[in-house]
Amino acid sequence: MASKSSIDHELIPMSALNCSFRKKLGLYLNPTNAVAADWRTVAEMMDFTYLEIKNFEKTEYPFEKVLTEWETRPEATVANLLSILEKAERKDVISDLREIIDDDCRKYLERQQRKPVQVPVVDSCGPRTREREGITLYDDPQGLTPETFDAFICYCQSDFQFVHEMIKQLEQTEYNLKLCVFDRDVLPGTCVWTITSELIEKRCKRMVVVISDDYLDSDACDFQTKFALSLCPNTQSKRLIPVVYKSMVKPFPNILRFLTICDYTRPHTQRWFWIRLAKALSLP
């Protein structure tokens, strides 16, 4: 078990902090305070914009919403939260809640240290194996040489015409990239969520996310995006590449706003769109 002195908060993500801590932290920061820094000050220090903070004000428990949004970012660690509270001169909050924070961190570290028992398991999607076999069109049936790809394409059905254009521009040109397009490459009869996870994590170097209004309503796209983000907690890996190809009515998803995007909607940069995307997907 990790002792208080051995806890490195820099290595612990915000997701380690449980609901009881979040509710108590909200009790300190949600009320408007004319003297001490409240949730607005902390949200500003977390780099939220004025408009985002005004939107948070509309919710019943604004700081809980702030935390939920902030923890999707790569810098959202327990250490950074403590640093922000200290800079906001809310050492009273740190002092009062430190025991709960350390307790949640120790529980998180203990969960991470537990090693699963390596036994065969059967679930609703069939037997689990170290590497599933025969899930894509050109897989080796024996599983000796599983098919791999340069990128998994995350898209919804209404954007499939643009996916066709992507195939034409990236696979059938000198770029010669290999894309994983679910409707084309995945064999029928497989468990969607399990197979998608394996393709993103083990078979594809990167993931291209085709952002549109319909994407925001897709449960499958939401799952794929969050799963890919969980595999690259910092932006250095360049694993996930958002693409916008048409104008949107709905706001761009907050969960992706810290990533640079490939924007096809800007006429003056369209000529560089495919070159930039291909170069990003060709990196080792």
Side-chain angles (χ1 to χ4, degrees):
M1 181 182 293
S3 65
K4 287 184 181 181
S5 61
S6 67
I7 295 174
D8 185 353
H9 295 107
E10 191 63 52
L11 300 177
I12 300 177
M14 271 298 301
S15 57
L17 300 178
N18 292 321
C19 293
S20 58
F21 165 78
R22 293 163 189 259
K23 288 180 181 177
K24 288 179 181 178
L25 184 58
L27 292 176
Y28 283 91
L29 298 178
N30 280 329
T32 301
N33 198 319
V35 180
D38 63 10
W39 71 269
R40 294 172 184 82
T41 304
V42 175
E44 231 175 57
M45 295 175 74
M46 289 175 169
D47 203 28
F48 286 104
T49 65
Y50 170 77
L51 290 178
E52 287 173 321
I53 292 172
K54 294 302 287 183
N55 280 330
F56 292 142
E57 285 180 350
K58 299 173 185 177
T59 62
E60 187 176 1
Y61 304 106
F63 192 63
E64 284 86 332
K65 180 66 174 173
V66 169
L67 281 183
T68 300
E69 293 288 343
W70 185 64
E71 69 182 348
T72 64
R73 301 183 186 179
E75 71 270 19
T77 64
V78 174
N80 282 339
L81 175 65
L82 294 174
S83 174
I84 288 170
L85 290 172
E86 189 168 346
K87 289 175 183 174
E89 298 184 353
R90 293 308 305 261
K91 293 182 181 179
D92 59 315
V93 178
I94 298 174
S95 176
D96 290 351
L97 300 182
R98 191 59 181 249
E99 189 174 336
I100 299 175
I101 293 171
D102 286 341
D103 189 46
D104 283 349
C105 289
R106 282 194 297 273
K107 288 176 181 175
Y108 170 81
L109 291 172
E110 288 168 11
R111 288 195 298 270
Q112 295 298 106
Q113 288 168 1
R114 291 190 200 119
K115 293 184 178 179
V117 179
Q118 300 297 320
V119 295
V121 176
V122 176
D123 62 11
S124 59
C125 295
R128 292 183 183 274
T129 60
R130 294 179 69 184
E131 185 96 16
R132 291 181 181 269
E133 302 149 3
I135 63 174
T136 60
L137 200 59
Y138 296 106
D139 257 350
D140 176 0
Q142 304 301 318
L144 298 176
T145 53
E147 188 176 13
T148 57
F149 304 85
D150 291 301
F152 182 92
I153 310 301
C154 171
Y155 62 94
C156 57
Q157 292 300 315
S158 61
D159 299 321
F160 201 61
Q161 185 174 349
F162 181 73
V163 174
H164 272 288
E165 182 65 19
M166 192 179 294
I167 291 170
K168 178 181 174 183
Q169 295 290 340
L170 298 178
E171 288 192 337
Q172 300 169 10
T173 60
E174 69 274 14
Y175 301 124
N176 198 31
L177 293 166
K178 189 173 182 180
L179 309 179
C180 182
V181 178
F182 200 91
D183 290 289
R184 178 192 68 174
D185 296 308
V186 177
L187 298 178
T190 53
C191 177
V192 173
W193 306 111
T194 307
I195 298 307
T196 299
S197 301
E198 175 160 327
L199 288 169
I200 295 171
E201 182 178 9
K202 299 180 180 179
R203 307 284 196 94
C204 300
K205 290 195 297 181
R206 289 178 174 77
M207 186 167 95
V208 175
V209 186
V210 181
I211 310 292
S212 66
D213 288 329
D214 291 322
Y215 159 89
L216 296 171
D217 296 325
S218 168
D219 290 337
C221 290
D222 182 63
F223 167 80
Q224 292 166 13
T225 302
K226 288 178 178 175
F227 181 77
L229 283 171
S230 74
L231 300 175
C232 53
N234 61 69
T235 56
Q236 293 177 358
S237 64
K238 300 183 179 67
R239 186 178 183 120
L240 195 147
I241 303 168
V243 164
V244 177
Y245 79 98
K246 63 181 178 181
S247 299
M248 295 174 61
V249 176
K250 299 175 183 177
F252 190 83
N254 275 330
I255 198 171
L256 296 176
R257 75 185 188 93
F258 60 88
L259 296 173
T260 53
I261 69 170
C262 235
D263 192 346
Y264 196 70
T265 66
R266 299 161 62 191
H268 60 288
T269 61
Q270 237 175 49
R271 57 183 291 194
W272 302 311
F273 177 87
W274 296 113
I275 298 171
R276 292 178 65 228
L277 183 56
K279 179 66 175 178
L281 296 181
S282 300
L283 294 172

